[in-house]
Amino acid sequence: MPVFDVQQFRQQFAFFQQQPDWVYLDNAATMHKPQAVIDAVTQFYQQHNSNVHRGAHQLSQQATALFEHARTTVAHYLNAAHSEEIIFTSGATAALNQIAFGLMHTELKAGDRILLTQLEHHANIVPWQLHCQRHGVIIDVVPLTVERQLDMLAYEDLLALKPKVVSFSHISNVLGHIQPVAQMVALAKAAGAITVVDGAQGIVYQQPDMQLLDCDFYVFSGHKLYGPTGIGVLYGKSAWLERLTPIFAGGEMIDTVSFINTTFNKLPFRLEAGTPNIAGAIGLSAAINWLQKHNTEQIKNHKLLLLKDFYSGLNAIKAVDILSQPVHNAGIVALNVDGEHPSDVTALLNQQQIAVRGGQHCAMPLFSHLALPGAVRCSFAAYNTLDDVNRCLLALEQAVEILTA
Ligand code: PMP
């Protein structure tokens, strides 16, 4: 396989030309956008700006065609059975809230169980919890092994309690560990559960195939797939989407309205109240089209090389405690400097223009389990170089020297 040309890839991002001094390793938080995405969004506002689905004029028809084409692009990318299975939301958080709210109203009753994992992002905990408290639904949690992997034996034991819903992330946003998502979905389905996959970190690692994975719901945010912020996707099998109570109500999602009663629009519009993020959807579709021009296997291998070098450099720095396992890792490394608060480390890295994140990364239950105040998270993307790795390692070495002096 030809080697991935990282410089050619990187040149497509204006950010790196305009900010050449920064080493950006905060990709798990959000990714930079290639010019193709910026151009698609700009072109929409410059040439086609109009509202969708409601105009008699040509501009609105063009905007509608672009917006609906974006839906089809996402549907093809996920290999969804129908484009109406793609609901545009503002992000993974909004999508998970819609699922939790929708299922709680229709499917769950007091005494039912929901199964989550110790690794989850708050967006896959709090929406469930809000409703569980009100409806008397019980949350169970899959624990971790000592290697900080999901305990699959415990998972199977908890499935024996017949949860109504099983919801978990494909990739931990803190540790970068890749979960055995296909196996987990298959086991949950065999136990009769509704399956929800949080693909917020998974989407950029691997193109998911909804027919193969066969989960009932899958969610992600556009901004972690080179797309704009404020756009996300809720994929659901039509039969399940039909059963969700809409979390938002208003224009577009209705068929008829009177003060006595409302009847609802068909999918996908029933779950898309109000004016959607039209430019965001177009930008996300541009991101997908752009990404598909690149070889994803080459990208995966490039990230693996970065990770390998990063780990061997880290292992040579005394006083660094690495929380993430190097195997089955999607390119996210959580670490700490012994005895030091992560924000002191990130502040020193920031002084050297190394952008990493410190704290609990919206995963407080994970850090309670680890009995740590947080961690420094370095997350790699395809546009990162070996030079980025080396600069980060050097800055870490210096931070350790300063903090432990
Ligand atoms: N789940 C996971 C695993 C995430 O990493 C994130 C973002 N950090 C979210 C959910 C929420 O995504 P967003 O903030 O884009 O809605």
Side-chain angles (χ1 to χ4, degrees):
M1 193 191 301
V3 178
F4 177 62
D5 186 346
V6 63
Q7 289 308 335
Q8 194 266 336
F9 188 84
R10 196 174 162 90
Q11 269 163 24
Q12 300 178 70
F13 294 78
F15 175 85
F16 297 112
Q17 263 104 65
Q18 302 203 7
Q19 300 283 355
D21 296 333
W22 274 98
V23 170
Y24 187 81
L25 298 178
D26 196 15
N27 294 290
T30 198
M31 299 193 68
H32 286 292
K33 322 300 170 199
Q35 199 56 40
V37 169
I38 297 170
D39 287 347
V41 172
T42 308
Q43 197 181 30
F44 168 71
Y45 282 127
Q46 287 180 341
Q47 296 177 20
H48 307 290
N49 181 48
S50 201
N51 211 330
V52 289
H53 300 140
R54 52 188 80 171
H57 56 84
Q58 209 178 329
L59 285 174
S60 170
Q61 287 157 15
Q62 282 171 2
T64 304
L66 287 167
F67 182 67
E68 289 306 322
H69 181 70
R71 195 189 306 278
T72 312
T73 305
V74 174
H76 284 154
Y77 195 65
L78 299 187
N79 196 20
H82 309 283
S83 62
E84 67 261 24
E85 293 182 331
I86 304 302
I87 309 297
F88 284 122
T89 66
S90 63
T93 301
L96 287 163
N97 272 274
Q98 168 62 83
I99 299 169
F101 178 89
L103 289 178
M104 286 291 180
H105 276 72
T106 52
E107 301 301 319
L108 294 156
K109 52 181 192 327
D112 284 344
R113 312 186 89 92
I114 291 180
L115 184 54
L116 307 175
T117 88
Q118 190 75 46
L119 289 165
E120 296 314 307
H121 187 282
H122 296 161
N124 194 27
I125 301 174
V126 187
W128 300 108
Q129 205 173 50
L130 265 182
H131 302 292
C132 281
Q133 279 161 0
R134 196 173 319 138
H135 294 272
V137 172
I138 303 152
I139 293 181
D140 294 309
V141 181
V142 184
L144 301 184
T145 64
V146 279
E147 291 83 27
R148 304 179 191 100
Q149 308 285 0
L150 284 185
D151 183 336
M152 290 299 284
L153 291 176
Y155 179 57
E156 293 194 42
D157 286 348
L158 288 162
L159 285 177
L161 299 177
K162 296 283 171 210
K164 275 274 171 72
V165 180
V166 176
S167 186
F168 57 87
S169 49
H170 180 181
I171 290 170
S172 155
N173 67 306
V174 179
L175 301 169
H177 298 170
I178 304 161
Q179 312 307 338
V181 68
Q183 187 193 355
M184 289 177 74
V185 169
L187 287 168
K189 286 180 80 78
I194 302 166
T195 48
V196 182
V197 178
D198 174 356
Q201 298 295 337
I203 191 75
V204 71
Y205 174 73
Q206 188 174 24
Q207 181 178 355
D209 183 324
M210 292 305 116
Q211 304 313 307
L212 282 180
L213 193 55
D214 203 29
C215 54
D216 297 310
F217 296 102
Y218 183 98
V219 306
F220 71 92
S221 296
H223 68 99
K224 299 197 204 263
L225 187 67
Y226 303 99
T229 49
I231 187 76
V233 170
L234 156 54
Y235 158 85
K237 287 185 179 164
S238 306
W240 280 117
L241 290 176
E242 296 283 8
R243 286 157 86 160
L244 291 185
T245 305
I247 193 168
F248 294 118
E252 202 61 36
M253 50 84 75
I254 52 83
D255 185 22
T256 61
V257 178
S258 75
F259 281 106
I260 311 293
N261 192 32
T262 294
T263 59
F264 295 102
N265 205 341
K266 59 185 189 328
L267 288 175
F269 312 113
R270 198 173 72 84
L271 296 172
E272 289 182 355
T275 300
N277 183 350
I278 308 164
I282 291 167
L284 172 59
S285 153
I288 290 173
N289 287 329
W290 167 85
L291 187 59
Q292 286 189 305
K293 294 192 184 122
H294 297 87
N295 182 324
T296 44
E297 281 312 300
Q298 278 185 8
I299 287 179
K300 258 189 199 169
N301 287 340
H302 171 70
K303 279 173 64 179
L304 277 178
L305 281 178
L306 297 180
L307 207 57
K308 195 166 147 271
D309 275 43
F310 192 55
Y311 264 94
S312 55
L314 284 181
N315 286 329
I317 308 176
K318 278 201 209 92
V320 166
D321 179 24
I322 310 171
L323 305 177
S324 305
Q325 298 290 334
V327 286
H328 302 305
N329 187 311
I332 301 173
V333 183
L335 56 94
N336 271 313
V337 174
D338 289 346
E340 305 299 331
H341 198 277
S343 45
D344 293 334
V345 181
T346 54
L348 287 168
L349 294 190
N350 178 53
Q351 282 174 13
Q352 310 236 22
Q353 293 189 289
I354 314 285
V356 298
R357 185 156 291 218
Q360 303 204 337
H361 313 282
C362 299
M364 279 191 197
L366 173 62
F367 283 95
S368 306
H369 166 79
L370 297 174
L372 288 170
V376 177
R377 181 183 69 183
C378 306
S379 50
F380 295 89
Y383 44 61
N384 288 122
T385 62
L386 282 177
D387 190 49
D388 290 342
V389 170
N390 291 335
R391 272 191 57 197
C392 180
L393 286 169
L394 190 65
L396 262 172
E397 248 169 54
Q398 289 168 356
V400 170
E401 261 170 44
I402 294 168
L403 291 168
T404 56

